Amino acid sequence: MREGLILPKVTFRTREGDEEVEGVEGCAIGGEWINKTTDDYFKGKRVVLFSLPGAFTPTCSSQQLPGFEAVYDKIRQNNIDEIYCISVNDAFVMNAWHNQQKIKNVKFIPDGSGNFTRFMGMLIGKNHLGFGLRSWRYMAIINDGVVEKWWQEPGINNDGDDDDPYVESTPENALDYLKQDPLVLTDEVQ
């Protein structure tokens, strides 16, 4: 499907160094804006990238993100350099969600403008929920900026004619695929 696709060149606006304001939980200030590019995240690396409709939303917060966090080490042991979670949310929201979920390993990519998601063909309308434009749920193995393997949830649509499926973009599917990697199998035999 999308295997072989070269990732679009996108600049992501991230934040580093923000600290919570005393007495105002969740309000982070004092940091700085940092530009990160597609190359910063993907060049020369083999990574798992998973996308989800939104920070703080039910399936994303209760299943997908914690699922990848729980098997982070297992995935990394299969010739993977990093695991990234991307969402059409700004850096403030992504950082707050990261902290609220107590994530230690999975790295977050804020796609606040939705440019990366649009170029990947995954930007959809979630207006029926009042979300505006968001990402359809998908996952990919990216090898040096090229899609090696692609999964997306069935029924992509702009109308809300779905029950937010979560069957394809799971950490279990990533692990099943990675266990078939000849580089990993060779390493395990030696």
Side-chain angles (χ1 to χ4, degrees), residues 7-187:
L7 295 184
K9 300 296 182 197
V10 172
T11 299
F12 302 95
R13 297 286 285 164
T14 67
R15 299 237 358 133
E16 293 179 4
D18 285 325
E19 296 186 17
E20 281 196 15
V21 176
E22 187 174 333
V24 186
E25 185 177 340
C27 180
I29 61 171
E32 61 182 322
W33 288 104
I34 306 289
N35 286 338
K36 298 269 187 167
T37 66
T38 310
D39 283 350
D40 291 326
Y41 290 113
F42 303 105
K43 188 175 184 178
K45 301 173 190 170
R46 187 171 184 233
V47 305
V48 172
L49 172 70
F50 67 96
S51 183
L52 39 79
F56 296 102
T57 58
T59 303
C60 306
S61 297
S62 68
Q63 295 178 50
Q64 194 172 17
L65 176 59
F68 277 96
E69 180 73 6
V71 297
Y72 178 86
D73 290 332
K74 286 182 183 177
I75 289 176
R76 289 283 315 275
Q77 291 167 2
N78 285 276
N79 195 28
I80 292 293
D81 297 303
E82 199 53 77
I83 300 173
Y84 296 126
C85 171
I86 190 167
S87 183
V88 181
N89 290 116
D90 63 68
F92 287 111
V93 170
M94 291 294 276
N95 289 344
W97 190 42
H98 177 273
N99 294 340
Q100 184 266 342
Q101 290 281 301
K102 298 177 176 41
I103 299 301
K104 302 289 185 217
N105 298 304
V106 172
K107 307 298 185 288
F108 283 36
I109 302 176
D111 187 22
S113 65
N115 284 336
F116 183 86
T117 303
R118 179 181 302 108
F119 293 137
M120 295 299 285
M122 293 285 103
L123 192 65
I124 61 160
K126 287 275 191 179
N127 296 323
H128 63 286
L129 296 175
F131 287 2
L133 295 175
R134 295 297 178 107
S135 179
W136 188 253
R137 200 180 300 278
Y138 71 89
M139 174 178 67
I141 306 292
I142 310 292
N143 195 342
D144 195 20
V146 178
V147 175
E148 173 184 325
K149 180 68 177 163
W150 179 267
W151 298 262
Q152 77 182 49
E153 298 303 331
I156 188 169
N157 70 88
N158 284 300
D159 303 320
D161 296 338
D162 63 84
D163 57 355
D164 189 22
Y166 178 54
V167 294
E168 296 295 329
S169 57
T170 66
E172 294 79 16
N173 284 345
L175 277 169
D176 287 346
Y177 172 78
L178 292 168
K179 288 177 184 175
Q180 300 170 29
D181 186 342
L183 296 173
V184 174
L185 294 174
T186 302
D187 291 345

